[in-house]
Amino acid sequence: MSDRSETPDSDNDRKTRSIDGSGQQPARKRQRVRLSCLECRRRKLSCDRGFPCERCIKSGTPDRCSYESRTGEVVNASSGVPPPFAQLDSRRFGMDPSTGLSPRDPEFARQDHDRIRRLELEIAQLKNQLRPGLNLDGSTVAGTTTSPTTQNDNPNVPDPSVREVHESIEATNMSGEKGELRFFRGRGFRTRYFGPHNASMAFVELTGLCPFMKETADEWLRPVILHDRKDRKRRQHDREQIFEQPDAELEALLPTKEECDALIRVYLEQFEQVHRIVHIPTFRKEYEQYWMPGSTTRYAAFTALILSMMAVSTCVHTHEGLKFIGMMSNARHWAEKWIKACDEWLQKQSQKHRRLVHYQVACLLYLGKRVNTIKKKRFWTGSGALIQDGIAVGLHREPSHMAAKITVFHQEMRRRIWATVVEFDMQASFDHGLPTLVSQLHYDTNPPRNLDDEDFDESTTELPQSKAVKEYTYSSFQNLARQSLPLRLELSRLLTGPLSEIDYDQVIRYTNDLTQEIDSLPSWDTNTENTKGMKNPMIAYTLLHVQLRQYIIPLHQPYLKLRKQNSKYQYSEIIYYNAARDIVLLHDKLYEQGMRSLNFLREDALTTAINLCSVTMLQPRGSTNMIMINSHHTLKLIEKCIAMKEDRLLRCGNNEPWGYSIMCAALGLLEAHLGTKEPEVAKSTSAERFVNLHYRLLANQEPPVAGEQQMVGPGTAIGPGPGPNIPLHDRPKVMNLDFQGRAFPNIGIQSVTPFTFTGNPAIPAAPIDPSQAQWLMAGGDATQPFNLDPSLELLGLNLNEIWGESWELG
């Protein structure tokens, strides 16, 4: 009280009396800044240091409330808090200038609590460095011994239990300004993320619990801790040894190095430019070491990485002498076998001690299933599982907040893996018409930087700045796709919600937003002759455009049939048609360059063919609008879609014949509607196209009978032995049918296609010897060149289901 009521005069008197007899003034002490207002000091009353203070307000003289700063300047309370004065005791005033929080705000108190706790930890660390006899938290060690056992342990290196305490205490210091509570443990990719309501956060928030437990353990459980520390090191050593062990079962599935090289090259050239999963220079270095004679780096995880990579590209790669077993090519057979083996291996791995390679294998397995159409109904749940795994390890949070625990290399790889699984989930959500998990998730991970893999490696300590958007890199797709992600997430929520909530003005607004995003995309040089090395900007360019244009189609589809009632909906017809047309043209340009990755990854060939057919069918005959004028061009576009679909089927197999049958029927229906063909001729042409494709599959059969060559890789036959053990649907039953020197079964069902057929020279058919093809009619009837009874049943096709009652959808 007396300190606060001091006046300048009394202070000067004290200084005068302190002069000693020699006339020399002692060293002047630093004058303490008076925090009370001048009015309260004059009246010698306590002051709450408000602006203005409570006493000046109650006395009716708030205008007299003023404060003296360190420089001696007097500032009136009505002018606001001067910065030099506010820094002295900002909590006593109405607002903290640094955080904008009131001292009565719980967030202010919590931040103050966190700051004190971090300061206590820093003090404990300093004490530990100055006095080795102290623990990390400042507590003394009871019963310290100098036995050889304890001397071998480095006292400056905290054991894992102490490190976990550190991670717990630092949990609230990772989210930047807002101080969001979260619990993040681990290093590299071995991390665990918990939200603010997890029980671990209660453990962190209990002040003094960590030091108390540590002191208790040091005083009473010291022998147990020393034993546990050694046991942890032993377990870690055992895990490292197990990880470095090869897997004979996985290695037995590897084809020759030459074929592995070809499939790996296809994957890196066509898939890694859109979905970044591996760091190419690091992978190539390990890949070369893997094949060295007597190599010690053939650990199981890298073998699984190679197999899963080849499973993605085997059907895209052009094999010599590709054969079929039933409806499946032997390339897809090996892809399915590799995926199954790697899936089983991944399920056996520890969820707690996972590394980057485990997440890479998981992403490649999902990619391989999409490319080879394995378990198609599980694509959405599979991508959701990848998202959940990513959230569990904190991939959705910016890794630079844990810079001390995650290297720069792993930070960027975490961003890339997260961007990859997000795009997987977004596309699966669109294909299935189901919501995406990302739409309800708070994430703050920065987009991957626009860098080539050669710009950084595992030894990098500071990541280079992102290159300009106009400069194409392998990461350009992920870097640019992140810009449109908020819009695509909003559209995903809209399209998977109630349709009644969508009005036409909203549709127009979203269409304009999509158009702006499309226009903002860079135009790289897509000429393959000008690209350097394996870079092909056309792949990223096509996918960036397609994944935006695809949302235009479902946005405007409900308004196509309303055009007859209101002419304003004609805009929907045009924008709908243009979006489907542009998607086909983008795929066709990519397909001309021999890049088949997007055709195998997506079902655009099927969906756009149906979209073009449906919007053209809505136009009246004889109309002169834009869609009908371009009808002949539309037919050519659908032909391109069917050609892309046929190429995929002839490489992978037709394990989903309904898609191709729909495309054939849609083309015939449109031809009949436009009058280019008579209805009966259009029907026969559609059926003939469908049947001819499957005869080509039948002509290249490789039945698994004993004594034939054993397939050790897609397109490679070595030595005698049993063929791949893949049973055909409805394999031998009643009668033998000799086809090109091989025995085939026959069920003898009646044809469900009662109309006649006319040849279509535009469809190339496999060369078939009439003397060996018993389905050809003996008389050579031009109206019925083949008998459907024995042939397609050999491939397991049920025409009644494909073309009959199963498609009576109302």
Side-chain angles (χ1 to χ4, degrees):
M1 183 74 175
S2 61
D3 291 341
R4 297 185 180 181
S5 61
E6 286 178 350
T7 63
D9 295 336
S10 62
D11 190 43
N12 292 334
D13 293 340
R14 188 184 305 108
K15 292 178 182 178
T16 304
R17 291 192 298 268
S18 65
I19 300 177
D20 56 13
S22 63
Q24 295 181 353
Q25 185 174 0
R28 184 179 179 180
K29 296 182 179 180
R30 182 179 179 183
Q31 183 179 1
R32 187 178 64 180
V33 177
R34 297 172 183 84
L35 302 179
S36 302
C37 73
L38 296 179
E39 186 67 15
C40 289
R41 284 163 55 192
R42 185 185 66 80
R43 299 166 61 184
K44 296 184 178 180
L45 298 173
S46 62
C47 179
D48 66 350
R49 306 173 191 176
F51 246 65
C53 69
E54 289 293 331
R55 290 194 180 275
C56 291
I57 294 175
K58 291 181 179 180
S59 63
T61 58
D63 54 328
R64 297 182 184 178
C65 188
S66 57
Y67 291 86
E68 181 182 6
S69 66
R70 184 182 297 276
T71 59
E73 180 184 0
V74 177
V75 181
N76 192 279
S78 60
S79 63
V81 181
F85 192 75
Q87 294 174 3
L88 297 176
D89 195 9
S90 60
R91 74 189 69 187
R92 298 302 302 265
F93 300 100
M95 193 68 68
D96 186 351
S98 62
T99 62
L101 297 175
S102 170
R104 297 179 177 86
D105 196 325
E107 181 69 14
F108 188 95
R110 195 191 61 76
Q111 289 187 3
D112 199 29
H113 171 71
D114 297 339
R115 180 175 59 85
I116 294 174
R117 188 168 53 190
R118 290 194 295 271
L119 291 175
E120 290 175 348
L121 178 63
E122 292 176 3
I123 293 172
Q125 291 174 338
L126 292 174
K127 286 182 178 180
N128 185 49
Q129 294 177 2
L130 295 175
R131 297 172 57 190
L134 289 179
N135 276 337
L136 189 65
D137 57 359
S139 58
T140 59
V141 179
T144 303
T145 62
T146 57
S147 63
T149 304
T150 58
Q151 288 178 352
N152 292 334
D153 297 329
N154 187 354
N156 296 324
V157 180
D159 61 21
S161 61
V162 176
R163 191 184 307 127
E164 291 180 4
V165 173
H166 268 289
E167 295 166 357
S168 303
I169 295 176
E170 295 175 1
T172 59
N173 191 29
M174 293 174 42
S175 55
E177 300 176 356
K178 294 185 179 180
E180 174 194 353
L181 293 178
R182 55 182 179 173
F183 192 75
F184 215 144
R185 295 176 53 184
R187 296 175 181 273
F189 270 80
R190 187 198 164 192
T191 54
R192 298 300 297 174
Y193 173 85
F194 302 99
H197 306 296
N198 185 264
S200 303
M201 294 310 304
F203 157 72
V204 173
E205 284 299 298
L206 185 55
T207 306
L209 179 62
C210 295
F212 179 82
M213 294 179 66
K214 189 65 175 65
E215 291 180 4
T216 304
D218 287 334
E219 294 176 11
W220 300 97
L221 304 174
R222 180 79 178 173
V224 178
I225 291 177
L226 293 176
H227 176 75
D228 182 67
R229 184 182 303 176
K230 293 182 179 180
D231 194 50
R232 282 172 179 259
K233 293 181 180 179
R234 180 184 58 80
R235 292 199 304 266
Q236 183 178 3
H237 177 71
D238 292 344
R239 285 195 301 269
E240 291 291 337
Q241 284 190 330
I242 294 174
F243 179 79
E244 294 173 358
Q245 292 297 319
D247 191 310
E249 294 182 1
L250 292 179
E251 290 186 10
L253 297 175
L254 286 171
T256 62
K257 183 180 183 301
E258 290 73 18
E259 187 161 3
C260 288
D261 292 344
L263 296 179
I264 294 297
R265 183 171 59 252
V266 171
Y267 168 78
L268 295 179
E269 290 179 356
Q270 299 200 31
F271 292 93
E272 195 64 30
Q273 298 196 51
V274 287
H275 297 305
R276 298 312 320 272
I277 299 176
V278 300
H279 185 256
I280 297 177
T282 303
F283 170 79
R284 282 179 170 166
K285 181 179 178 180
E286 290 193 42
Y287 183 76
E288 293 299 327
Q289 295 176 353
Y290 184 88
W291 291 102
M292 288 183 179
S295 174
T296 58
T297 60
R298 297 176 71 93
Y299 55 96
F302 198 77
T303 306
L305 185 67
I306 295 175
L307 290 175
S308 55
M309 224 179 253
M310 293 192 302
V312 175
S313 59
T314 179
C315 287
V316 180
H317 177 58
T318 301
H319 299 278
E320 295 182 2
L322 191 65
K323 297 295 183 179
F324 288 83
I325 305 173
M327 298 287 286
M328 185 191 305
S329 69
N330 52 8
R332 186 186 182 278
H333 156 67
W334 281 103
E336 189 172 8
K337 199 168 186 179
W338 292 334
I339 289 173
K340 182 180 179 181
C342 294
D343 241 339
E344 293 175 352
W345 173 85
L346 190 62
Q347 294 296 325
K348 298 176 183 178
Q349 305 308 304
S350 170
Q351 295 295 315
K352 182 179 180 181
H353 304 98
R354 301 187 77 181
R355 309 188 184 197
L356 170 60
V357 66
H358 296 108
Y359 295 96
Q360 291 173 332
V361 171
C363 292
L364 287 169
L365 289 176
Y366 178 82
L367 197 61
K369 292 174 183 177
R370 282 203 68 112
V371 169
N372 297 284
T373 320
I374 298 175
K375 303 294 183 182
K376 185 175 181 179
K377 295 180 180 179
R378 301 182 186 178
F379 287 170
W380 182 71
T381 55
S383 63
L386 290 177
I387 290 289
Q388 291 178 336
D389 286 343
I391 296 173
V393 298
L395 295 184
H396 64 302
R397 308 313 300 261
E398 174 53 35
S400 61
H401 294 160
M402 289 186 66
K405 300 183 178 113
I406 304 178
T407 63
V408 171
F409 175 80
H410 278 163
Q411 287 180 29
E412 187 64 11
M413 293 307 298
R414 286 173 73 100
R415 297 186 189 104
R416 290 183 174 186
I417 296 294
W418 175 249
T420 297
V421 298
V422 165
E423 291 301 327
F424 285 165
D425 194 50
M426 289 295 297
Q427 191 56 44
S429 170
F430 182 86
D431 293 341
H432 289 255
L434 297 173
T436 171
L437 295 180
V438 188
S439 61
Q440 305 298 329
L441 177 68
H442 169 66
Y443 60 92
D444 59 0
T445 304
N446 294 330
R449 297 194 181 184
N450 189 31
L451 297 172
D452 284 311
D453 287 0
E454 291 75 14
D455 297 330
F456 69 101
D457 55 23
E458 292 178 310
S459 62
T460 301
T461 57
E462 184 176 356
L463 201 64
Q465 291 296 322
S466 184
K467 297 181 180 179
V469 174
K470 294 182 180 180
E471 185 175 354
Y472 177 76
T473 68
Y474 261 44
S475 302
S476 290
F477 170 78
Q478 287 192 334
N479 183 266
L480 288 168
R482 178 62 179 273
Q483 297 180 8
S484 64
L485 182 59
L487 175 60
R488 289 184 287 137
L489 285 173
E490 189 174 353
L491 288 171
S492 177
R493 287 192 294 266
L494 183 72
L495 294 174
T496 56
L499 295 178
S500 58
E501 297 181 1
I502 307 177
D503 58 73
Y504 197 63
D505 293 336
Q506 196 176 10
V507 170
I508 300 299
R509 184 171 66 253
Y510 281 121
T511 304
N512 294 335
D513 293 341
L514 288 169
T515 304
Q516 291 178 3
E517 290 287 347
I518 293 171
D519 293 340
S520 66
L521 295 175
S523 298
W524 300 298
D525 186 3
T526 55
N527 188 356
T528 55
E529 297 179 356
N530 300 331
T531 56
K532 298 179 182 179
M534 298 188 304
K535 287 185 178 180
N536 189 348
M538 192 62 197
I539 302 176
Y541 179 87
T542 300
L543 187 53
L544 285 170
H545 281 258
V546 168
Q547 71 179 8
L548 288 171
R549 296 180 191 275
Q550 66 180 2
Y551 286 98
I552 296 178
I553 295 175
L555 273 176
H556 290 270
Q557 190 163 12
Y559 303 97
L560 295 183
K561 296 183 179 180
L562 300 179
R563 195 256 307 165
K564 294 181 180 180
Q565 288 78 21
N566 194 330
S567 60
K568 74 174 182 178
Y569 297 125
Q570 188 174 5
Y571 170 76
S572 291
E573 286 186 340
I574 297 174
I575 199 72
Y576 182 97
Y577 177 86
N578 290 342
R581 178 201 61 193
D582 293 344
I583 291 175
V584 176
L585 293 177
L586 286 167
H587 275 286
D588 183 61
K589 187 175 180 179
L590 188 65
Y591 191 76
E592 290 176 354
Q593 298 181 2
M595 312 300 288
R596 299 179 174 86
S597 54
L598 295 189
N599 183 34
F600 279 68
L601 266 177
R602 303 171 57 88
E603 293 292 344
D604 292 328
L606 171 61
T607 56
T608 52
I610 303 303
N611 295 332
L612 290 172
C613 180
S614 63
V615 71
T616 307
M617 289 285 295
L618 292 173
Q619 311 306 314
R621 288 187 178 182
S623 175
T624 57
N625 60 25
M626 185 202 70
I627 297 177
M628 288 300 289
I629 290 176
N630 292 327
S631 59
H632 294 287
H633 179 62
T634 302
L635 292 176
K636 293 180 180 180
L637 291 177
I638 298 178
E639 291 276 3
K640 290 179 182 293
C641 293
I642 294 178
M644 287 188 284
K645 186 70 173 178
E646 287 179 351
D647 178 75
R648 181 176 179 180
L649 298 180
L650 291 174
R651 290 173 176 271
C652 198
N654 194 10
N655 58 327
E656 285 189 328
W658 63 268
Y660 185 68
S661 66
I662 290 176
M663 296 176 71
C664 296
L667 178 60
L669 183 65
L670 183 59
E671 288 174 337
H673 174 75
L674 297 176
T676 58
K677 290 183 180 179
E678 293 296 328
E680 293 300 320
V681 177
K683 293 177 184 178
S684 64
T685 304
S686 299
E688 183 182 3
R689 182 189 297 272
F690 178 83
V691 171
N692 280 344
L693 173 73
H694 292 85
Y695 280 160
R696 295 168 69 180
L697 302 184
L698 192 65
N700 293 293
Q701 286 295 302
E702 187 74 26
V705 294
E708 292 199 357
Q709 291 179 329
Q710 179 182 8
M711 303 297 294
V712 298
T716 306
I718 299 179
N725 186 21
I726 297 184
L728 286 175
H729 298 289
D730 301 325
R731 194 106 10 209
K733 290 190 177 180
V734 289
M735 64 180 294
N736 293 327
L737 171 65
D738 184 66
F739 170 60
Q740 295 188 354
R742 296 193 180 120
F744 283 90
N746 177 28
I747 298 180
I749 64 170
Q750 293 297 321
S751 172
V752 294
T753 315
F755 40 83
T756 60
F757 296 88
T758 58
N760 186 357
I763 307 174
I768 300 174
D769 186 1
S771 63
Q772 294 182 345
Q774 295 191 8
W775 62 75
L776 295 178
M777 300 298 291
D781 187 359
T783 61
Q784 185 71 30
F786 47 79
N787 177 12
L788 290 177
D789 289 349
S791 55
L792 298 185
E793 278 296 324
L794 306 181
L795 302 177
L797 290 178
N798 188 334
L799 297 182
N800 286 301
E801 292 184 356
I802 297 175
W803 292 83
E805 59 269 9
S806 67
W807 293 106
E808 295 178 1
L809 302 180

